[in-house]
Amino acid sequence: MTRRVLSMDDLPAPEPYRLLTALVVPRPIAWVSTLDAQGRANLAPHSFFTVASGAPPIVQFTSVGRKDSLRNIEATGEFVVNLASRALLEPMNATSATAPPEVDEFELAGLEKERSTKVAPWRVAASPAALECELHQVVPVGDSFVVMGRVVVAAVDESVLDDDGRPMEWLLDPLARLSGSRYVTYGRTVNLPRPK
């Protein structure tokens, strides 16, 4: 094997970003809905997303730069992470457009809103699962901001649950981000139990 060794300090911007987003794949998508201080809805996908803690239940996503999602969360302390499924690829992509704060991305993408249970921001009605969150912490990191939210409600469509109430990933049919404009959808899986 011949490796190309790249020193990140020697690469001009945005090459480190492009390299990392091509190597750290696939990345789940946090489709984040928020309200601004005036109550206007915002919806945007963020592809740096994961679970930060199970107890307490905290998820995190990264805002690359100071975007509307981050500003709204800082102003209100609430957000919803909606699951982007394969069926929602086109509307999810439509909400990635750069739009002024007064534009409602739900309307822009032709998406129906659904009231949340414990937080003010809307859920995406067609999303098979949504995590209602209260802001836990925002951590500045380089040119980005890691947003951590305590999950107060998980709203999951009954049709994607097994008999034990556990979500089945093949029924969720989640999208994940690759590099550039490429996405991957649910495909072949390998079941490999952890050694004891």
Side-chain angles (χ1 to χ4, degrees):
M1 179 184 302
T2 303
R3 295 186 187 272
R4 181 177 297 185
V5 177
L6 303 165
S7 171
M8 292 296 185
D9 290 339
D10 295 338
L11 295 176
E15 289 308 311
Y17 171 86
R18 289 182 179 158
L19 181 61
L20 290 175
T21 57
L23 292 174
V24 182
V25 292
R27 297 186 310 281
I29 298 166
W31 201 10
V32 178
S33 52
T34 59
L35 294 176
D36 68 10
Q38 290 76 44
R40 297 178 296 195
N42 180 269
L43 180 63
H46 297 268
S47 65
F48 293 0
F49 169 55
T50 193
V51 176
S53 169
I58 293 177
V59 294
Q60 70 182 51
F61 76 91
T62 299
S63 174
V64 179
R66 185 166 280 284
K67 298 180 178 173
D68 289 342
S69 298
L70 173 62
R71 285 191 289 271
N72 294 349
I73 292 166
E74 289 175 325
T76 67
E78 297 180 333
F79 62 99
V80 176
V81 175
N82 303 274
L83 181 93
S85 63
R86 181 193 315 235
L88 295 169
L89 173 61
E90 294 291 333
M92 183 276 301
N93 188 51
T95 65
S96 70
T98 302
E102 63 272 12
V103 171
D104 182 332
E105 286 84 0
F106 282 89
E107 293 177 10
L108 181 73
L111 290 163
E112 185 180 338
K113 295 172 181 165
E114 177 179 83
R115 284 244 176 249
S116 292
T117 305
K118 288 196 174 178
V119 298
W122 299 94
R123 298 191 301 234
V124 174
S127 174
L131 304 174
E132 298 180 17
C133 301
E134 294 174 349
L135 178 60
H136 175 72
Q137 187 177 7
V138 175
V139 180
V141 180
D143 65 352
S144 302
F145 301 85
V146 177
V147 180
M148 290 183 250
R150 186 177 193 281
V151 180
V152 293
V153 167
V156 185
D157 191 313
E158 292 279 354
S159 70
V160 302
L161 300 175
D162 68 9
D163 293 340
D164 294 325
R166 185 175 184 150
M168 296 291 95
E169 64 272 9
W170 58 89
L171 298 175
L172 286 168
D173 201 14
L175 290 171
R177 186 78 187 269
L178 299 174
S179 64
S181 299
R182 292 182 293 281
Y183 295 86
V184 65
T185 57
Y186 185 79
R188 179 176 173 268
T189 59
V190 176
N191 188 7
L192 187 63
R194 182 181 296 186
K196 297 195 187 226

